Amino acid sequence: GTSYDRATSVTFTSGALSAMVTIDEQSAHAASITGWTSEGGVEVELRERSRTRTTTSDAHGRFSFADVQRGLVHFVFRHGSAGVAPVITPAIEI
């Protein structure tokens, strides 16, 4: 057995937006995610295996999700600027 240290934070950057997420293990089957966007008021969509959830980052860019299912997830960020396309992240394993 090779041992390894699991990354607990990931940063995503595009031309229009940056976001960082931190993953905190809750159990063998779930985690919580806390994140920050480079601007406030961004709609954050979390796509899990069996569900999709949405929240909006606060004025400081903070957002969170509890009880995130283990496995591959990705995010879609939509900000209110007219004509700016949503930002979708690559999948990461939680």
Side-chain angles (χ1 to χ4, degrees):
T2 302
S3 64
Y4 57 89
D5 190 17
R6 186 180 283 275
T8 58
S9 62
V10 179
T11 301
F12 303 101
T13 304
S14 75
L17 185 77
S18 293
M20 184 186 85
V21 296
T22 300
I23 304 154
D24 291 311
E25 185 174 332
Q26 290 181 310
S27 71
H29 303 290
S32 62
I33 293 177
T34 303
W36 296 267
T37 55
S38 55
E39 59 187 71
V42 174
E43 180 182 291
V44 182
E45 180 180 318
L46 171 64
R47 294 181 179 177
E48 299 172 76
R49 290 183 303 184
S50 64
R51 64 183 170 183
T52 298
R53 295 189 276 166
T54 303
T55 191
T56 302
S57 65
D58 68 15
H60 303 287
R62 186 179 187 284
F63 64 91
S64 63
F65 294 96
D67 298 316
V68 178
Q69 300 168 355
R70 291 290 190 174
L72 292 176
V73 302
H74 65 269
F75 299 89
V76 179
F77 299 99
R78 295 179 182 90
H79 39 96
S81 304
V84 178
V87 175
I88 190 167
T89 70
I92 61 171
E93 184 161 346
I94 302 296

